[in-house]
Amino acid sequence: MPENQAQGVLPDNAISAMLEAGQITVTEPLPEGQIQPASLDLRLGQTAYRVRASFLAGNGQSVADRLSEFTMHEMDVSQGAVLEKGCVYVIPLMEGLALPSDITAVCNAKSSTGRVDCLTRVITDGGVEFDRIPAGYKGPLYAEICPRSFSVKIAPGLRLNQIRFRRGHATLSDADLSDRHTETPLVDQPPLIDEGLGFSVDLAPAEGTLVGYRAKPHAGVIDLTQIGTHPTADFWEELHSTNGQIILDPGAFYILVSREAVTIPPDCAAEMAPYLAMVGEFRVHYAGFFDPGFGHGVPARGVLEVRCHESPFVLEHGQTVGRLVYERMAAAPTQLYGQDIASNYQGQGLKLSKHFKL
């Protein structure tokens, strides 16, 4: 197969080529750092629409037409605006697509977005799924945003979502993962390989008793345009455990950390996914892609965004809560995560989003 037709996740240089070919369109020039090793950050536009409910455009319908049906009011966000907790907003993005017939796309929230419990998904004209864009799609992109635990301040150009492009089949089989782990460990614990690489929660830290954070229910506004300025204690309460377990409260949002340190090899990318859909008591959110080079040579653990559902639930140390689905790259990226680029979470342990003071 010719190199330019290799199957897998497209790297940064291929994304740049898509921009030059007009397969990715932009209303404003890209700033430095918007193209990641295996994804493209997506930027919020100038206008937000407060809508009555979350929606998908549906076959044969445009998001613009559905906005006329669901919009409660329109907001100019050019000077910044606050999105209220519990409300749903739709914001046109500065990026659009004219995908070729052999390239699909998938979107996800950026890690920092998920860590402030801001649910954000991408919708498209004719879309019947969130965050999934079929080959050949031509049209605009929109972010649907619903802050869950905190109201948030936004501005045009803010990057809450990211998009990854792939050609053909990219997912590594369990046999592939086993072989790779044998050759070069993907995780620093005995691997649980079952439709991806499983990981568990750490509730028995090697030092101290701090195991996580719980969002305070009546906190102020998080300004998502500001880095390292928000006092942690104003928004989060510490969670400590001395017996390797915590009880999750229904409706509460938690930041925890995986017991395992994981590695994404330079020729792979990964995405966090739920482990068992039938575990209904809680959900581990799966915001953020894992780029090639994450944890490579610098052990890094996965941060878990957890919400409890119907009833209190006892979460115990070592309980499997999620999995990483690995995909092969179509070609090597020019840069790796944490290598010569600003990578906020390389080498991370238990860590809140970049918006909070250390």
Side-chain angles (χ1 to χ4, degrees):
M1 179 180 297
E3 183 177 331
N4 64 353
Q5 295 300 310
Q7 296 194 25
V9 173
L10 301 189
D12 48 8
N13 52 348
I15 294 173
S16 296
M18 291 179 68
L19 280 158
E20 293 177 6
Q23 296 167 352
I24 300 170
T25 60
V26 295
T27 59
E28 298 285 345
L30 267 63
E32 184 177 354
Q34 187 173 344
I35 299 177
Q36 302 294 325
S39 61
L40 174 71
D41 291 346
L42 300 173
R43 299 168 294 169
L44 300 182
Q46 303 279 340
T47 305
Y49 300 88
R50 166 76 167 93
V51 294
R52 291 186 285 123
S54 172
F55 67 89
L56 291 164
N59 285 323
Q61 301 185 81
S62 71
V63 174
D65 288 342
R66 303 309 302 273
L67 279 172
S68 66
E69 180 181 350
F70 295 114
T71 296
M72 298 171 67
H73 61 89
E74 182 178 326
M75 301 163 52
D76 178 4
V77 302
S78 59
Q79 302 304 311
V82 172
L83 306 185
E84 299 287 347
K85 178 174 71 172
C87 298
V88 184
Y89 302 84
V90 173
I91 301 180
L93 296 170
M94 293 185 182
E95 290 74 29
L97 297 176
L99 291 179
S101 60
D102 62 339
I103 293 179
T104 61
V106 58
C107 300
N108 214 323
K110 289 177 63 67
S111 296
S112 295
T113 312
R115 293 188 200 190
V116 295
D117 197 21
C118 188
L119 175 65
T120 177
R121 304 178 287 194
V122 170
I123 56 177
T124 62
D125 289 349
V128 295
E129 292 182 281
F130 293 107
D131 286 335
R132 298 295 186 268
I133 304 172
Y137 174 76
K138 293 178 175 60
L141 300 175
Y142 299 81
E144 179 203 273
I145 304 170
C146 179
R148 303 290 302 276
S149 291
F150 312 105
S151 296
V152 297
K153 184 178 179 180
I154 62 162
L158 188 65
R159 309 176 209 171
L160 300 184
N161 305 74
Q162 53 195 163
I163 187 168
R164 180 172 280 177
F165 303 94
R166 66 167 65 91
R167 180 184 291 110
H169 180 74
T171 303
L172 294 182
S173 68
D174 286 351
D176 290 334
L177 288 177
S178 296
D179 291 344
R180 281 178 170 268
H181 180 78
T182 299
E183 182 178 336
T184 303
L186 301 175
V187 65
D188 66 347
Q189 306 280 339
L192 172 61
I193 297 176
D194 182 9
E195 297 186 2
L197 180 67
F199 56 85
S200 60
V201 62
D202 184 6
L203 297 178
E207 297 181 9
T209 61
L210 178 66
V211 297
Y213 298 90
R214 183 167 73 170
K216 290 188 172 182
H218 305 294
V221 175
I222 297 176
D223 187 342
L224 297 181
T225 68
Q226 299 298 311
I227 306 303
T229 60
H230 300 75
T232 298
D234 290 353
F235 297 88
W236 302 94
E237 59 182 73
E238 292 186 350
L239 283 178
H240 293 264
S241 177
T242 57
N243 63 352
Q245 63 180 220
I246 58 173
I247 297 178
L248 303 177
D249 292 327
F253 178 76
Y254 300 84
I255 296 293
L256 305 173
V257 70
S258 71
R259 185 168 61 109
E260 301 83 3
V262 299
T263 294
I264 311 300
D267 64 341
C268 290
E271 183 178 359
M272 194 183 291
Y275 179 62
L276 290 174
M278 67 280 292
V279 178
E281 289 83 358
F282 69 95
R283 176 182 175 181
V284 175
H285 293 229
Y286 39 101
F289 294 126
F290 287 68
D291 273 334
F294 177 87
H296 187 65
V298 184
R301 296 196 279 171
V303 168
L304 313 176
E305 301 131 16
V306 179
R307 180 177 297 281
C308 186
H309 291 321
E310 292 85 2
S311 60
F313 185 77
V314 177
L315 196 60
E316 300 187 276
H317 177 69
Q319 184 169 345
T320 301
V321 293
R323 60 195 168 98
L324 279 176
V325 177
Y326 282 71
E327 297 182 294
R328 65 179 55 85
M329 296 293 297
T334 58
Q335 292 181 311
L336 298 178
Y337 188 92
Q339 185 181 84
D340 302 323
I341 58 175
S343 303
N344 291 294
Y345 305 118
Q346 184 73 307
Q348 72 180 355
L350 176 64
K351 188 174 182 179
L352 294 171
S353 77
K354 62 187 180 183
H355 307 100
F356 297 97
K357 295 178 181 178
L358 296 177

